[in-house]
Amino acid sequence: MSGDGSDGTDDPDYQRFLHQFANAATGGGISSFIQFLQEEAGDEEYEPDDGEDEDDDEEEEEEVSGRTTLRRVLYGHRDHVSSINNNSVNLENSENSVVESGDVVIATMRNGKGGEEEALRGGEKEGGGGGDEGEEWNRSEIDGLFCTICMEAWTNDGDHQICCLPCGHLYGLSCIKKWLLQKGSSAKCPQCNKKCTLKGIRVLYASQLHAVDEKLQKKIRSLEARCFSLEKECTDWCKKEIEWRRREAELHQQVEHLKERKIEHSPIEMQTRLSGHFFGRNIDSKSERCVYANVLLLQKEFQIDGARLFDVDSNGYNLIIARRLSGMGGQHMLTKISLLPPHEREDILLPMSMKIIKDLHVSPHERVILLASLGKKLSVLSAENNHAVLTYDLPTAPWSCAWDVNNPHYMYAGLQNGMVLQFDRRQTMRPVESLTGLTGNPVHTVCSLSAEPTLGAGVRSVLSASSVGLCHWNFASSDERPCLIPESENQGICISLACGDINDDIVATFRPRLEISGDVVGSQVLPTPGPTMEPTVEGSHVLYRRVGSRYQKLGASCASVSGIRLPNTAIIDGGNNNAMFASGDEATLELVLQDLPSLNVSQRIKSLNGPIRDVRYARLQNSGLLGCLSEDRLQLCTHKLQ
């Protein structure tokens, strides 16, 4: 289109078409425009002459009538004229209108609010030039390639060059100029009705236009990011799966190893090895000489540096040993040694705040360890996973501790200031009950006693030892202070206490008391030192028996005891009331076994190195295990229970 009127645009019919099209575009309704097209198409009859050139026919048609311009607007500019076989227009309904004219079908759909053109597509074309058969033009292609006024394809230069209005809508340059000139001062954009003038036209210099849907772009970027995230997550899960499979294989190997150990080292087999063919003989450790005896035999020796205390985990077949490594600020630790071959060891480091371990006991009910330390701590550790279960802060340093023999929840601590505290593991903050002692002397030993029906339900009894003697304590009763065991206060200074687990025998060890002016209590020390350069004194072992709520003194024997240390002793249950008392002899450095109640010496076991620091006894199936700890050396003796 050139705009000079030579192409038929000044024809009245063409002007009428533009007017109808503008009304439809500005909201006048698509129905009237479709009716106009129907009327124009119904009057049009055109048959091309076969003898004339198609290009001449196209030019002649445009000059003869403005209706050919309408057809050109509908079809778009073609290089050749397409043959028209039939022209018909069918208006189906007000909501869905379809106009068919030759090979062009204009389909419009209206919703309930107004008319909006939904699709414009081309049908089959006949003749020599107009593209492939079956080609269809959809709305998006038309919007991006054709001027919405003349339906001609715009160009990148010339009169019909692509341009835009300030509102952003695109048109051919010649078409929008004509439109604005016709409208004059009331000129508006044909699509959005915003006011505009010729000065507002902006020519666009673009070889090709292609609009990208921003929403789709954002969705694509979001999906790409999501895909990357899923790939990374999949990679992480694959790595975790590999690690889990590796750990699963390791656990399977450990399970198989433990099954083999369980079969090879069952408790019955262990008891057979410990007390079967070795039962009845004793080994002199220095000469490695076998000496036959009637009761205990030395079975195993362990080298343990820095050992101070120990106990036996009879449920787990382990030894629990409290140690302190040599050197300044040596680390405190527990060492677990298996009683089953190959006697595996495991070290458990303790917090520095615990300081020196004064006493330790393994619960007779389950696999937990009770520790009393000079860091003013009472701690409960699991013997299975080596982790702390409970820790109580105490008002002063504890010197002793014990489990309740009747209830697995209760435990006791003897303090440096003479107090005895009762704890319940179900109450993790503070002791259940605190009782003050007769004096402020440290309680170096506490033993839980079996329940006594005469004291009433819920009353729990404890026997303690301090320098003043033996004291009986009743918790959950009306007694506010302990009572001193008769005939224990005049025996000297009590340095050790051993209670039987099954019988009611009690053995207390004393050393002489030295009376000094100013009510200061001391010990008489022999002028000659012992083999280890430690002073030894002539003390005594006193046997008591608990009868109900009373105590009877049954006998006493002389003993060489340390003038400095507080040794530990033990009562051995031999079965059939054949109990024995085990203690260390400071003069000969031997472990002495004495029959009860006669206190006659029945056996002596030579210590390996130095004085005996600790003695513990435990029952294992049908055998008894007696442990003796001396300087960095632990000896294990066994005997068969009758």
Side-chain angles (χ1 to χ4, degrees):
M1 291 183 179
S2 61
D4 56 358
S6 60
D7 56 355
T9 56
D10 292 335
D11 185 80
D13 291 336
Y14 178 71
Q15 296 294 332
R16 188 157 53 90
F17 164 75
L18 291 179
H19 179 70
Q20 292 292 339
F21 182 84
N23 288 338
T26 56
I30 194 68
S31 299
S32 60
F33 181 66
I34 293 175
Q35 184 176 2
F36 167 73
L37 292 178
Q38 180 182 6
E39 294 173 356
E40 293 293 327
D43 297 337
E44 180 180 3
E45 294 181 0
Y46 173 75
E47 294 182 2
D49 189 353
D50 295 338
E52 294 180 351
D53 185 77
E54 293 181 358
D55 294 337
D56 296 339
D57 291 345
E58 182 179 354
E59 181 178 356
E60 184 177 351
E61 288 172 4
E62 292 176 356
E63 293 175 355
V64 171
S65 172
R67 286 192 295 270
T68 60
T69 302
L70 169 63
R71 185 161 51 252
R72 192 183 69 179
V73 170
L74 295 176
Y75 295 162
H77 182 72
R78 306 293 178 89
D79 294 336
H80 302 280
V81 177
S82 300
S83 300
I84 302 176
N85 296 325
N86 56 71
N87 296 299
S88 61
V89 177
N90 295 321
L91 183 63
E92 293 181 358
N93 51 57
S94 62
E95 297 295 324
N96 191 2
S97 302
V98 179
V99 179
E100 296 182 352
S101 178
D103 62 346
V104 177
V105 179
I106 301 176
T108 62
M109 297 192 64
R110 299 178 58 196
N111 54 26
K113 296 182 179 180
E116 291 184 357
E117 183 177 351
E118 180 181 270
L120 177 62
R121 58 188 178 85
E124 296 182 355
K125 293 168 286 295
E126 297 180 1
D132 299 335
E133 274 189 291
E135 181 183 1
E136 294 184 354
W137 294 349
N138 56 36
R139 176 66 180 269
S140 62
E141 291 175 345
I142 293 175
D143 288 345
L145 299 176
F146 298 98
C147 172
T148 55
I149 295 178
C150 66
M151 301 302 291
E152 290 274 0
W154 45 49
T155 62
N156 57 4
D157 59 3
D159 293 339
H160 203 243
Q161 184 175 354
I162 184 173
C163 66
C164 71
L165 297 180
C167 59
H169 291 106
L170 303 178
Y171 302 97
L173 181 59
S174 58
C175 292
I176 193 61
K177 280 184 177 180
K178 290 180 181 179
W179 176 272
L180 297 177
L181 289 173
Q182 289 177 2
K183 295 299 181 178
S185 61
S186 61
K188 298 179 180 178
C189 173
Q191 297 189 54
C192 65
N193 286 335
K194 287 188 177 180
K195 291 185 178 182
C196 57
T197 61
L198 290 174
K199 294 181 180 180
I201 299 175
R202 298 291 183 268
V203 178
L204 302 179
Y205 300 93
S207 58
Q208 184 178 1
L209 291 180
H210 179 70
V212 178
D213 192 332
E214 182 64 21
K215 292 183 179 179
L216 290 178
Q217 287 293 101
K218 290 181 179 179
K219 188 173 183 180
I220 290 173
R221 288 192 292 268
S222 175
L223 292 175
E224 288 177 347
R226 178 60 176 165
C227 183
F228 177 77
S229 175
L230 291 175
E231 289 178 355
K232 185 177 182 300
E233 186 176 353
C234 181
T235 303
D236 294 341
W237 279 112
C238 289
K239 292 180 180 179
K240 291 182 180 180
E241 182 181 6
I242 295 173
E243 178 64 19
W244 290 337
R245 291 186 183 278
R246 184 186 64 80
R247 292 179 60 186
E248 183 181 12
E250 292 178 355
L251 291 175
H252 278 302
Q253 291 180 356
Q254 294 180 9
V255 170
E256 294 300 326
H257 177 67
L258 291 175
K259 286 182 179 179
E260 293 176 358
R261 287 189 58 188
K262 183 177 180 181
I263 295 174
E264 295 176 0
H265 308 296
S266 63
I268 297 177
E269 292 184 0
M270 189 205 70
Q271 294 301 324
T272 302
R273 286 195 296 271
L274 288 179
S275 59
H277 60 282
F278 286 109
F279 179 73
R281 68 179 183 177
N282 187 20
I283 301 176
D284 189 326
S285 59
K286 287 189 176 180
S287 62
E288 298 182 356
R289 193 167 44 84
C290 294
V291 180
Y292 288 88
N294 294 326
V295 183
L296 284 168
L297 61 130
L298 181 62
Q299 291 287 351
K300 190 69 178 177
E301 299 172 358
F302 296 101
Q303 176 69 34
I304 306 171
D305 296 334
R308 294 174 174 271
L309 299 167
F310 81 100
D311 201 0
V312 181
D313 178 13
S314 57
N315 294 319
Y317 291 93
N318 290 318
L319 297 172
I320 310 297
I321 306 164
R323 303 170 54 201
R324 182 181 183 184
L325 301 182
S326 59
M328 292 294 294
Q331 178 71 49
H332 296 277
M333 66 172 59
L334 297 180
T335 298
K336 291 169 58 176
I337 301 179
S338 175
L339 292 174
L340 304 177
H343 306 293
E344 297 176 349
R345 297 193 181 196
E346 182 180 4
D347 290 332
I348 308 170
L349 293 178
L350 300 177
M352 294 296 294
S353 59
M354 293 185 68
K355 300 183 180 180
I356 297 177
I357 303 299
K358 288 292 292 182
D359 199 5
L360 79 88
H361 289 276
V362 178
S363 172
H365 310 286
E366 52 187 311
R367 298 193 60 193
V368 287
I369 309 167
L370 184 63
L371 299 176
S373 64
L374 292 184
K376 300 181 182 180
K377 305 286 184 182
L378 183 68
S379 305
V380 179
L381 275 70
S382 171
E384 296 180 348
N385 56 29
N386 306 333
H387 293 163
V389 178
L390 278 174
T391 299
Y392 296 95
D393 292 323
L394 305 180
T396 186
W399 277 44
S400 57
C401 60
W403 291 97
D404 192 284
V405 297
N406 306 300
N407 191 308
H409 299 296
Y410 287 93
M411 46 200 170
Y412 305 92
L415 304 188
Q416 184 175 352
N417 60 4
M419 296 179 63
V420 175
L421 310 182
Q422 183 190 52
F423 294 87
D424 187 343
R425 290 166 56 189
R426 294 165 295 188
Q427 298 184 19
T428 60
M429 298 301 296
R430 58 184 62 87
V432 176
E433 190 172 355
S434 302
L435 296 181
T436 304
L438 299 177
T439 65
N441 297 325
V443 179
H444 58 73
T445 309
V446 288
C447 297
S448 174
L449 302 177
S450 58
E452 177 57 46
T454 60
L455 296 177
V459 178
R460 306 184 186 279
S461 299
V462 171
L463 188 65
S464 72
S466 64
S467 61
V468 297
L470 306 181
C471 290
H472 180 94
W473 310 67
N474 289 325
F475 289 88
S477 70
S478 58
D479 298 341
E480 297 182 357
R481 301 288 295 273
C483 60
L484 192 64
I485 303 302
E487 299 188 44
S488 67
E489 72 278 5
N490 55 4
Q491 298 293 328
I493 297 176
C494 182
I495 60 175
S496 180
L497 173 65
C499 298
D501 293 333
I502 297 177
N503 52 47
D504 293 324
D505 290 337
I506 298 167
V507 179
T509 302
F510 296 87
R511 63 183 174 214
R513 187 189 306 271
L514 178 62
E515 298 294 342
I516 303 176
S517 60
D519 297 331
V520 178
V521 179
S523 296
Q524 179 66 44
V525 180
L526 296 178
T528 57
T532 60
M533 303 303 293
E534 288 187 6
T536 60
V537 295
E538 192 68 24
S540 62
H541 301 307
V542 181
L543 173 63
Y544 297 89
R545 177 164 293 173
R546 183 188 178 202
V547 181
S549 58
R550 298 180 297 105
Y551 293 87
Q552 296 179 353
K553 180 181 176 181
L554 301 182
S557 66
C558 296
S560 295
V561 298
S562 172
I564 300 176
R565 291 181 295 104
L566 299 175
N568 287 332
T569 56
I571 292 180
I572 301 171
D573 177 26
N576 293 333
N577 296 323
N578 295 325
M580 291 186 295
F581 172 68
S583 63
D585 190 319
E586 295 292 325
T588 62
L589 302 182
E590 293 176 328
L591 178 64
V592 180
L593 303 179
Q594 297 174 266
D595 293 330
L596 295 180
S598 64
L599 290 176
N600 295 327
V601 176
S602 62
Q603 188 176 356
R604 289 179 178 269
I605 301 176
K606 188 66 176 179
S607 175
L608 287 174
N609 184 19
I612 295 174
R613 293 182 176 273
D614 197 4
V615 179
R616 299 292 174 101
Y617 176 78
R619 296 169 63 93
L620 299 175
Q621 298 289 336
N622 295 324
S623 298
L625 179 67
L626 179 66
C628 175
L629 179 65
S630 59
E631 294 291 338
D632 300 332
R633 186 74 67 170
L634 177 62
Q635 298 174 317
L636 297 180
C637 303
T638 62
H639 74 110
K640 187 174 182 179
L641 297 176
Q642 299 178 1

